[in-house]
Amino acid sequence: MRRKLAIRLTALAAGSASAVLMAVTPAHAIADGTPATPGQYPFAAKFTMTHIPRPDGTFYNSACSGALVAPNFVLTAGHCFHDVNRVRVSGPPQYATTVTVGTVDLSASPGETRNVVNVWQSPVNDIALVKLDAPIRDIAPLAVSPIAPHVGEQLTMAGWGATSDVNATPGTVLNTGEVAVGEVDADTIGVHGVSPSPDTSSCLYDSGMPYFIPAGTKTGVLVSVESTGPSCPHDQLETTARADVVFQWIYQNIAQNAG
């Protein structure tokens, strides 16, 4: 795994430079996972959405997960940001949305919270890049992989969703688990649980959760983000959106909108 990570980071360094020059109902915390330890994966983001409008004039609250990929940018699922008809939209969010990072347990530490001020929807898959109202400079972001994943590759996930589909509510504790890639398609990969259980899987409010190769406990390389899957827990393939296919799009938008 360290060899793969080194290859990804080398390619990422070259790819990032190239990108900068070119630029000068939420799905499924983790079921049957493991609570993160204090200080682990501080880049893992908890989205809180409030007063989301429905077509009938009523409102509801929801949540998603994500990952810090630059001081004031977070990657999540595209379907986390939509209009009243649940059509994915770019631009300023149509309902109040905050992002919290830098904690594994909201009851023990509030972490750092920012407001989402703008959203860019991926042109090819279920990914959204969001901008925060102020940068977070004391947490290392995840690097985005420019390399296609392969079947059998093992990834770590870290999400803030529920732990079961029964009476599901957004999580207040960050949970983690290990998965393996079981299928690679043009814009998505299918992953299945490995550890701590074969049915370790994404759950409600995990949409946008990162699947990554860790580099220690503070950072790593992002491979994909949670999109959709069966009711949790399950041992089937979960559909996640590939980050490598939008690698240049991500870093071009960051470079063009960093100010």
Side-chain angles (χ1 to χ4, degrees), residues 125 127 148-149 184-189 223-224 240-246:
N125 58 6
I127 283 178
V184 179
D185 292 320
D187 304 319
T188 63
I189 59 173
V223 175
S224 66
T240 74
R242 286 173 56 177
D244 63 292
V245 299
V246 287

Side-chain angles (χ1 to χ4, degrees), residues 43-239:
F43 51 79
K46 176 180 174 64
F47 283 77
T48 302
M49 291 87 166
T50 56
H51 210 60
I52 304 171
R54 294 188 178 100
D56 64 2
T58 60
F59 299 87
Y60 68 101
N61 300 332
S62 193
C64 283
S65 298
L68 191 73
V69 293
N72 56 343
F73 289 88
V74 177
L75 216 61
T76 188
H79 69 257
C80 292
F81 292 93
H82 53 81
D83 64 14
V84 68
N85 295 310
R86 301 197 66 82
V87 176
R88 289 169 46 187
V89 290
S90 297
Q94 301 197 7
Y95 33 84
T97 304
T98 61
V99 171
T100 300
V101 295
T103 182
V104 299
D105 185 343
L106 293 177
S107 68
S109 170
E112 299 183 56
T113 297
R114 302 288 189 270
N115 296 310
V116 173
V117 295
N118 213 340
V119 179
W120 292 266
Q121 292 283 350
S122 160
V124 298
N125 58 6
D126 188 20
I127 283 178
L129 177 70
V130 309
K131 185 176 182 180
L132 310 179
D133 62 349
I136 297 172
R137 302 197 181 280
D138 58 345
I139 294 175
L142 278 182
V144 179
S145 174
I147 298 174
H150 60 83
V151 172
E153 187 168 15
Q154 290 206 37
L155 305 173
T156 296
M157 56 182 180
W160 286 96
T163 56
S164 168
D165 275 357
V166 179
N167 299 320
T169 58
T172 59
V173 173
L174 181 68
N175 277 278
T176 71
E178 305 295 323
V179 300
V181 177
E183 181 178 270
V184 179
D185 292 320
D187 304 319
T188 63
I189 59 173
V191 301
H192 61 85
V194 172
S195 176
S197 170
D199 65 355
T200 296
S201 53
S202 169
C203 203
L204 291 164
Y205 310 113
D206 268 330
S207 290
M209 173 180 68
Y211 292 83
F212 58 97
I213 301 173
T217 61
K218 303 299 185 183
T219 188
V221 177
L222 178 66
V223 175
S224 66
V225 304
E226 173 62 25
S227 182
T228 189
S231 295
C232 67
H234 67 83
D235 59 2
Q236 303 168 60
L237 288 181
E238 188 84 15
T239 300

